[in-house]
Amino acid sequence: MAATILDGKEGAGAVRAEVTEGVAAFVARHGRAPGLVGIQVGDDPASEIYQAGKAKAAEACGMISRRLVLPAETTQAELDAILDDLNADDTVDGMLVQQPVPDQLSEPLIANRIHPDKDVDGFSPINLGRLLRGEPGSVPCTPSGVMWMLDRAGVPLEGADAVVVGRSLIVGKPMALLLTARSATVTVAHSRTRDLPALCRTADVLVAAVGRPEMIRGDWIKPGAAVIDVGINRTDDGLRGDVHGDEAHEVAGWRTPVPGGVGPMTIAFLLVNTLDAARRRVGDTNHTGDTT
Ligand code: NAP
C-alpha cells in the first residue's frame, strides 16, 4: 500500500494561521507586533532565498520583520557589536544569523552572543541545554516541525524504534532529544555507522538529515514506517531529499515529500519561536506554547 504523504505546505499553513491569530492577540494586549531580525553576511544566493522567505512569512502573519545584509568581509567584532545592539533593542524579540557564515566568523561565537531569550533558532548553548533538561525555551525549528507532523499524522512514538540519520546540532541531535522525550527508543546514525541499511530497516520512525541525494533506498525502509526526509539537495534534476521518494512511497506508512515536506514546517516554527519569544519577553507566559 502506498504511503500517506505528510504535506508540509498544508501543515505549515495551519501553524501559520495559528501564529497569525496569536500575533493579533499579542498586538491587542501589548500595542506592538513581535519583531524578528534576520541577519545575512555576504550575498550567497541560497541564503538570500532563505532569508527573504523567512522575512516574508513573518510579515504575512503580522510580525515586524527586518533584514540586515552585511558585507561578506564583516569581522567577528563588527558582527558582535550588531548583535549586542539587537540584544538591547526592545522592539526586537527574535534574531537569527543565516548559516553558513564566511570563514572569518565563528558559528559558536555567534550562538553564544545572541541573547538566549532572542535566539529563535534555538542554537544557543542555553537553549540547547534547556532542551536537554526538558525546560521551556526555543527549540530548533526543523525538529520541532518534524514532531508536529508526526503528531498531526498520529504516528505512534511511545516505545517506537526511531533512527535519526545525521548528528548535526541543528537537526540530528535535537531531533533525537525530542523523540527521546516522547519515549521513542532512538539511535543516532552518522557517516561512521556500520551497516546503515540494516539499522534503518529496524526503524518505525526514520528521520534522514544527511545532505546526500536519495541515499536512503526503498529496501532500507521497514514496511509501514514513518519516513521523514529533512534533506534538501540541489541536483541537476531539481531538488531532492535524502530519501528516494518513489521507492519509499511503496514501502513506508507515511512519508514527507521534498519539496513541500519538512522545509515549510521549519519556517512555520521559526514564527512559533518568535511569537513565543515575544510573549516570554513581556511576561505573557500564559500564552507561551499555545501555538505548539
Ligand atoms: P550536516 O551538518 O552536514 O550533517 C550531516 C550529517 O549526516 C552528519 O552527522 C554526517 O555524519 C551525516 N552523514 C554524512 N554522510 C553520511 C553517510 N554516508 N551515511 C550516514 N550519515 C552521513 O547537515 P545538516 O545541517 O544536519 O543538514 C542535513 C540535510 O538537511 C541537508 O540536506 C540540509 O540542506 C537539510 N536541511 C533541511 C532543513 C529543512 O528545513 N528541511 C533544515 C536544515 C537542514 P558525520 O557527523 O559523521 O559527519
Side-chain angles (χ1 to χ4, degrees):
M1 214 169 74
T4 300
I5 296 283
L6 304 182
D7 183 341
K9 278 194 212 151
E10 185 267 334
V15 173
R16 286 164 65 158
E18 278 192 51
V19 172
T20 303
E21 276 179 34
V23 169
F26 184 93
V27 172
R29 285 197 294 272
H30 304 291
R32 68 170 185 89
L36 175 67
V37 179
I39 301 155
Q40 180 188 330
V41 188
D43 56 2
D44 173 59
S47 295
E48 187 75 34
I49 292 169
Y50 287 134
Q51 282 288 76
K54 291 170 186 175
K56 203 169 137 200
E59 276 159 21
C61 66
M63 294 182 185
I64 294 170
S65 159
R66 222 181 338 141
R67 283 184 68 199
L68 297 181
V69 183
L70 307 178
E73 58 278 9
T74 302
T75 64
Q76 186 71 47
E78 287 165 340
L79 180 59
D80 285 350
I82 290 168
L83 296 178
D84 290 348
D85 284 347
L86 295 170
N87 282 334
D89 184 339
D90 262 347
T91 66
V92 176
D93 297 291
M95 62 171 113
L96 56 96
V97 177
Q98 184 68 45
Q99 302 294 329
V101 287
D103 288 347
Q104 78 276 14
L105 300 176
S106 149
E107 190 281 326
L109 287 180
I110 294 168
N112 276 282
R113 197 83 182 193
I114 294 174
H115 193 288
D117 293 349
K118 299 191 178 191
D119 161 38
V120 285
D121 266 337
F123 299 159
S124 73
I126 296 281
N127 280 318
L128 288 171
R130 286 173 176 153
L131 176 61
L132 194 63
R133 292 174 61 94
E135 294 175 6
S138 274
V139 176
C141 305
T142 301
S144 288
V146 171
M147 294 306 288
W148 190 94
M149 291 176 106
L150 290 169
D151 283 340
R152 170 100 151 177
V155 175
L157 296 179
E158 191 175 320
D161 288 322
V163 172
V164 178
V165 189
R167 54 176 163 179
S168 73
L169 206 58
I170 64 171
V171 188
K173 284 176 184 164
M175 189 74 250
L177 288 172
L178 290 172
L179 287 165
T180 304
R182 294 289 300 278
S183 301
T185 303
V186 184
T187 305
V188 179
H190 45 74
S191 65
R192 266 34 88 69
T193 296
R194 275 181 296 198
D195 202 351
L196 187 60
L199 177 65
C200 290
R201 273 192 292 274
T202 66
D204 303 307
V205 177
L206 177 61
V207 181
V210 182
R212 295 171 69 95
E214 300 183 325
M215 182 183 84
I216 292 178
R217 309 301 302 234
D219 61 359
W220 296 28
I221 295 169
K222 182 176 182 174
V227 179
I228 305 294
D229 191 351
V230 178
I232 300 179
N233 306 291
R234 284 166 218 283
T235 74
D236 293 343
D237 300 324
L239 275 194
R240 291 287 184 274
D242 291 338
V243 177
H244 194 295
D246 289 345
E247 292 182 8
H249 198 67
E250 302 306 318
V251 191
W254 300 266
R255 75 174 183 96
T256 60
V258 175
V262 176
M265 296 305 301
T266 296
I267 296 194
F269 272 82
L270 174 67
L271 305 176
V272 169
N273 282 356
T274 304
L275 177 57
D276 279 349
R279 288 166 167 169
R280 275 195 291 267
R281 288 190 60 248
V282 297
D284 199 350
T285 46
N286 287 341
H287 301 275
T288 299
D290 281 0
T291 37
T292 57

